Amino acid sequence: MVCGGFACSKNALCALNVVYMLVGLLLIGVAAWAKGLGLVSSIHIIGGVMAVGVFLLLIAVAGLVGAVNHHQVLLFFYMIILGLVFIFQFGISCSCLAINLSKQTDVINASWWVMSNKTRDELERSFDCCGLFNLTTLDQQDYAFCTAVCKSRSPTCQMCGEKFLKHSDEALKILGGVGLFFSFTEILGVWLAMRFRNQKDPRANPSAFL
């Protein structure tokens, strides 16, 4: 049986937004858990993850309320916002999949020196490495002040840049793949909302349909 009726479209849209709500709550929970355990102390990282979770949660709530009440205005803005999110997320996902090793090196190098000393120290301890690529005097100074455990075991430690590059390609492919998957669910959400918005509620007064 083809899912083309009012009830089926409504249930499908509600189910999709429930999934978005769970993902949003998961992001908020993971950020709070990481902050509580002290795994990440950077307020920018924690704030960014929580902001994404809250934003996704608000979109999902708006879509769910709009679907349950067949609210024309909420469904319209839900379609617009979800469409914009799709364009942004699709572009970012494609960029993650297309970036090569040379670009990854440039991004890692630029990001490393933007970070605070505290954040760099946390990364060095977490990855058990010191410095970035040992290409400049700053790299050598950074290596000298490293507090990673590996320095107590050996006079030389593996460079953090080497470890980052080792895992970055795999991480970017995963992020790009997951992002593409969710971007297509957003297109599905836009299509369902547009279809459901223009369907007639069989229980409503025929003259009340817009």
Side-chain angles (χ1 to χ4, degrees):
M1 183 177 178
V2 179
C3 182
F6 180 87
C8 187
S9 297
K10 178 179 179 178
N11 292 336
L13 192 57
C14 287
L16 184 64
N17 283 288
V18 167
V19 172
Y20 286 158
M21 287 180 67
L22 292 176
V23 173
L25 289 171
L26 180 64
L27 287 173
I28 295 171
V30 167
W33 173 74
K35 180 63 176 176
L37 291 182
L39 299 178
V40 181
S41 62
S42 173
I43 192 65
H44 301 293
I45 297 174
I46 295 295
V49 174
M50 292 194 76
V52 171
V54 170
F55 180 70
L56 186 59
L57 187 62
L58 290 175
I59 291 177
V61 169
L64 190 60
V65 172
V68 170
N69 298 316
H70 200 218
H71 197 289
Q72 298 288 316
V73 176
L74 271 179
L75 288 172
F76 174 77
F77 282 107
Y78 173 78
M79 288 162 45
I80 298 298
I81 295 172
L82 207 59
L84 293 174
V85 170
F86 162 77
I87 294 171
F88 178 77
Q89 188 170 324
F90 184 80
I92 295 295
S93 300
C94 290
S95 299
C96 287
L97 293 173
I99 190 170
N100 56 33
L101 194 63
S102 175
K103 291 293 183 182
Q104 291 177 39
T105 303
D106 293 340
V107 170
I108 290 172
N109 194 45
S111 302
W112 181 261
W113 298 114
V114 170
M115 296 176 188
S116 65
N117 291 332
K118 186 176 182 181
T119 303
R120 288 203 296 268
D121 288 341
E122 287 179 352
L123 287 172
E124 287 175 337
R125 288 195 297 270
S126 298
F127 285 88
D128 197 20
C129 58
C130 286
L132 192 60
F133 291 114
N134 200 24
L135 299 175
T136 64
T137 304
L138 280 175
D139 286 312
Q140 294 168 5
Q141 291 175 351
D142 194 41
Y143 185 93
F145 290 104
C146 176
T147 57
V149 178
C150 62
K151 287 195 76 173
S152 62
R153 298 195 305 260
S154 170
T156 59
C157 283
Q158 185 176 1
M159 305 302 293
C160 291
E162 298 171 1
K163 288 197 171 186
F164 294 160
L165 284 174
K166 182 178 178 182
H167 300 290
S168 62
D169 189 57
E170 181 182 354
L172 285 170
K173 281 183 169 57
I174 293 173
L175 286 173
V178 172
L180 276 180
F181 171 77
F182 273 101
S183 68
F184 287 116
T185 67
E186 288 155 6
I187 280 294
L188 176 63
V190 172
W191 177 78
L192 282 172
M194 183 171 60
R195 180 182 179 85
F196 179 64
R197 186 171 179 267
N198 293 317
Q199 285 179 322
K200 183 177 179 179
D201 188 348
R203 298 170 301 176
N205 187 340
S207 62
F209 178 67
L210 298 178

